[in-house]
Amino acid sequence: MMTWTQEHPMTIVGLVLWAVGILWLMPGRRASKPRPHKIGVLIVALGLVTFCLSCGKTQSELADDVMFWVFAIGALMSGVLMITARNPVYAALWFALATLSTCGLFLLQHAPFLAAATIIVYAGAVIVTFLFVIMLAQQSGAAGYDQRSSQSLLATISAFVLLGAISLTLQSEKIDIVRPVVVAADSSADSAPIAGNMSLTFNLSPEPPVIVPVMPGNVMSKAKGKTPVGNLKGLGKSLFGDYLFAVELAGTLLLVASIGAIAIAPRREQGAI
Amino acid sequence: MTPDEQRFLLVGAGLFVLGAIGFLTRRNLILMVLSAELMLHGVSLTLVTFGNMHQTNEGQAFTIFTLTVAACEAGLALSLVLSLYRKSHSLDIQLWSELRESDMSGPDFDSSAERGKLSSYDDIPTLTPAGIAPKDPPRTTPSTGPTATRV
């Protein structure tokens, strides 16, 4: 009993919410002012969803599930609200929220460095620059072109046909992935290798699993010896080992882009913006 | 492919499609660039999921390059938007539909009041129609032209 309550707290929360909602909706003993109906329906729905989602799941699985759904719904809803926002400032802020949710999904995929870098680059630089440009260019309130969209029916239909095709392909085909064999980092050679488990728990331990190189295919993406996967060390080894020239090229690209941005941007002598 | 990976890929595809809708429908130049960035988010999430699926670092390494290119793109796009705004004093993308070829039909304008706002700008380049040889422009004789008197 005690272990069950400790392992399934969300189930109990769901049951309690369900009961509270039924009590809320019940007509009272005294003929008093009726309670608002919508709140009771909301409480019952919340309890039911919590109970159904938490059935037959342990706490860590449930935590992963809840975090995934929070971040996924956050990203998709922020995207919808961003592309439908009438005010471009609100659109930029919704985009920032979508970026943060995407970074949460990166964290769930064992990419903490990438999440931090994306937050720094997007929320720190891109959003601020966009907001500056919006406020420079739109000083006179709402513009007519923000209130109307062009060809929204065609664009939405074709985009959702594309999304349906992607979903169909992802969910109908049995795609075989050659999974590498993961052994523990400190295990000796004679220990039995465990098949690669793809659990979504945070893997921030100092001893990450290393990959025994069994992957065919791309020479670059072959796991090399004791290269750890998913943390900063492995990413740095991959970036500055396999992709050193690409990193130099990316630096050159940044330089060229900054020079180009300075050259393209209007000068102040030619007229104030 | 486990269902865990599938749902991450589906969220990535959803972000991409939302960005595509925004890019196609919105008429604000800045919102179009922002929608392109949302598409890049979807691609990044898909890349990271692929890397996690195969237990390699390549997905995250590619995503870092995507991040670099997105930063370059944002900088260049914003300076382009600023220079376009200087010419038209508006962020409406449909004002620039006059850059199309002259024998193509243009997009439907919502209001005729916004049309022709750019016609006072003479320094906008125009495209010659493809396939048909353009006529020779009428030439003024050099004896009557204003340049002859200057020389």
Side-chain angles (χ1 to χ4, degrees), chain B:
Chain B
M1 195 184 307
T2 61
D4 275 345
E5 296 153 357
Q6 222 173 52
R7 59 189 194 182
F8 277 97
L9 292 180
L10 280 178
V11 171
L15 281 179
F16 184 85
V17 160
L18 284 179
I21 292 175
F23 188 82
L24 289 175
T25 56
R26 295 315 296 263
R27 287 168 53 190
N28 194 326
L29 279 169
I30 295 175
L31 280 190
M32 289 175 71
V33 181
L34 266 184
S35 303
E37 303 276 343
L38 194 66
M39 292 170 81
L40 282 177
H41 274 331
V43 173
S44 300
L45 187 56
T46 310
L47 278 176
V48 171
T49 311
F50 282 158
N52 201 17
M53 212 187 269
H54 290 275
Q55 289 286 304
T56 56
N57 285 313
E58 262 63 28
Q60 298 188 29
F62 287 176
T63 311
I64 286 186
F65 291 122
T66 312
L67 207 63
T68 312
V69 174
C72 296
E73 178 224 323
L76 281 177
L78 283 180
S79 54
L80 278 172
V81 164
L82 275 185
S83 61
L84 286 181
Y85 178 77
R86 259 197 61 237
K87 278 196 189 303
S88 68
H89 296 284
S90 168
L91 288 176
D92 195 356
I93 189 68
Q94 289 193 345
L95 290 179
W96 295 95
S97 59
E98 293 192 357
L99 289 180
R100 69 186 187 275
E101 295 197 355
S102 58
D103 50 347
M104 297 292 289
S105 64
D108 46 346
F109 282 89
D110 290 334
S111 62
S112 58
E114 298 172 11
R115 185 170 201 162
K117 217 172 176 179
L118 277 184
S119 57
S120 58
Y121 296 92
D122 296 330
D123 52 345
I124 296 169
T126 56
L127 291 176
T128 50
I132 310 165
K135 287 175 192 166
D136 284 338
R139 281 182 191 165
T140 57
T141 53
S143 60
T144 58
T147 55
T149 57
R150 204 192 301 159
V151 176

Side-chain angles (χ1 to χ4, degrees), chain A residues 42 103 134 137 156 167 187 192 249 257 262:
Chain A
L42 199 69
C103 290
I134 288 171
T156 310
S167 313
S187 69
L249 212 61
I262 294 169

